[in-house]
Amino acid sequence: MRDRRSFSFYWLAALFGLFVLFLYGPMITILILSFQGPDGGLTFPMNGVSLHWFGKLWEGLGVVDIWAAFRRSFRLGLVVMVLTVVLSLLAGLAYRRRFRGSNVLFYVVVASLIVPSIVVSLGIGLEFRLIDDAIKSMAETFGWTDVAEHYTTAMGIYTSGLGAQLTWTLPFGLLITFAIFNRFDRRFEEAARDLGATPWQSFAHVVLPIIAPSVIGIGLFGFTLSWDEVARSSQAMGDLNTLPLELEGLTTTVTNPQIYALGTVTTGVSFVVIFLALGLMRALRRRSKV
Amino acid sequence: MEAPAPAQFRSLRLLSGHVPAWLQVAPFVAVFVVFFLVPLGLTVMVSFWDYNEYQILPAFTVRSYMEIFEGCLDRLPDLCVTLKTYLSTLKFCVAVWLITLVIGFFIAYFLAFHVQSTTMQIALFLVCTIPFWTSNVIRTISWIPLLGRNGLVNSTLIKLNIVREPIEWLIYSNLSVILALVHLYALFMIVPIFNSMMRIDRALLEASYDAGASGWQTLWNVVVPLSKPGIVIGSIFVITIVMGDFVTVGVMGGQQIASVGKVINTEMTALQFPPAAANSVILLVVVLFIIWGLSRLVDVRKEL
């Protein structure tokens, strides 16, 4: 095909270049503008270069405790990451052996990916409200005064919020696990078994080291999707907001480059996580080749 | 037979072959039952409940549905609010779908057939993927300094004397919503199409050229049909996401443009659960209908 490549190659390459510019251009604009001078505004031109708005951001954003939201989101991201890796891997192992209802589960997982997030979020919000109502009325009926007086809600970041995010991260986790095990050479396992390894030993010492790079990939999806999740979290977080939810609220109220500084910091965290994960994947792949 | 695991590993046996498959998959299933299936069921149930200003009342009624479609029939051919909202959302859907389809197809085509080395292929694919792992809200607001009233585009146009006054419809308009949606979701089209294209046997293209087909003929008669599964999966992704979107339409529409997702979100914030649930059910039915139509074109299960 090389000889035919010349013309179409160049216009497609140009299209690709434009697309990359389209993808990254706006992000780079925000990055630059977050270093706006103290008198600078939300748009170009730059009025000097400074860390002024990062300083302002460090002090907080008015009524919103942005750093508390930052910590909440980070912790939630880690929890979602661990659960996504463990649950998808377990489910993936189960799929290798087939189980009853595996087809139905597959369709449910795909459905979870394509049902509009706002519908899922609303459903979870409703569910927890109904749970709250049920607990309150039960407490009244049975005379549990303690519960009746102090109970507020079962909604929270690590109940409804966590569940809402998992309905988004687990489908990606499972699909990646399918891809991993599709390519996995079962002969390694059989060899381990022939040499007397227990199933756990063969998993821990043979299977896991081979699939480790892809497992990190699942973790990458788990953390980054949670870290930026808005749509499914919107009605499911309860009283305390995560960072992206706060950020969405701030888009209408903050009218200075602080919001760009926050954008740069958030994107920075994403990029650190992405490159850490990619670096780790590369290192593990290299090691397993030796 | 499998040997028993040493005692110290017993707590970790969940990962090994000792436990039955259903137990391995149980926590995964539990998440989808508790946070997906039950919530969907409750949504359908509550959409048929009554409500007042303070609470939802568990009594069967079709009030919410009646209110949503109130006046829709007698006011025809004028559209009622609900139909207008759906029409506006569908317009975004079609526009974003067409644009992402064209972009997605050619980007995937370039990556799959024109980039020769695998390393380069992976690198360029990652370049396309990395934004997917960063915040959608930030990617959306990053258009503001470009398209805003005093933004880069307007100030450049004024400097070049192309326009005198800043163009108002660059931001908080249908255009900016579509632009932001394409920006966010083109990847959902690229990945499945790329995946389909990588499975195409290269010999088929050679055969097509040898049989005298031109580049375009090969593209249209060989590559496009064989990429169909990816195109359908990508389309399902893009269409369902755009149908339910409320964040991007909210931010880029300056909170002035209606969308179905936004209606649900507003009702939910106002604690009007039955109407929000009824709207969700209708949205779900519309989305499922679209997916059903698309999936008739291809067996999705086989392709994943």
Side-chain angles (χ1 to χ4, degrees), chain B residues 24-99:
Chain B
Q24 281 179 330
V25 83
F28 189 92
V29 172
V31 169
F32 285 95
V33 171
V34 176
F35 296 104
F36 183 66
L37 295 178
V38 173
L40 282 189
L42 290 175
T43 304
V44 175
M45 183 178 84
V46 171
S47 73
F48 290 105
W49 280 9
D50 206 356
Y51 65 104
N52 60 28
E53 282 146 63
Y54 315 105
Q55 55 186 329
I56 37 181
L57 309 165
F60 179 87
T61 172
V62 288
R63 178 182 159 193
S64 299
Y65 292 95
M66 296 296 282
E67 282 173 1
I68 288 168
F69 290 111
E70 203 175 10
C72 282
L73 281 180
D74 23 284
R75 230 177 285 163
L76 287 172
D78 287 337
L79 293 174
C80 59
V81 180
T82 303
L83 288 182
K84 264 188 198 149
T85 309
Y86 269 90
L87 198 68
S88 143
T89 310
L90 276 173
K91 266 196 299 200
F92 285 133
C93 241
V94 172
V96 174
W97 175 64
L98 283 175
I99 299 169

Side-chain angles (χ1 to χ4, degrees), chain B residues 18 35 64 83 122 131 213 273 280:
Chain B
H18 274 287
F35 296 104
S64 299
L83 288 182
I122 294 172
F273 298 113
S280 297

Side-chain angles (χ1 to χ4, degrees), chain B residues 77-127:
Chain B
D78 287 337
L79 293 174
C80 59
V81 180
T82 303
L83 288 182
K84 264 188 198 149
T85 309
Y86 269 90
L87 198 68
S88 143
T89 310
L90 276 173
K91 266 196 299 200
F92 285 133
C93 241
V94 172
V96 174
W97 175 64
L98 283 175
I99 299 169
T100 52
L101 182 62
V102 172
I103 293 178
F105 183 84
F106 283 108
I107 296 296
Y109 181 70
F110 174 71
L111 286 176
F113 293 107
H114 286 274
V115 179
Q116 306 284 339
S117 88
T118 317
T119 322
M120 197 60 183
Q121 220 167 29
I122 294 172
L124 292 182
F125 185 72
L126 271 177
V127 165

Side-chain angles (χ1 to χ4, degrees), chain A residues 256-275:
Chain A
N256 61 45
Q258 259 176 309
I259 192 149
Y260 297 154
L262 182 57
T264 301
V265 172
T266 323
T267 312
V269 171
S270 301
F271 268 80
V272 167
V273 171
I274 294 167
F275 285 111

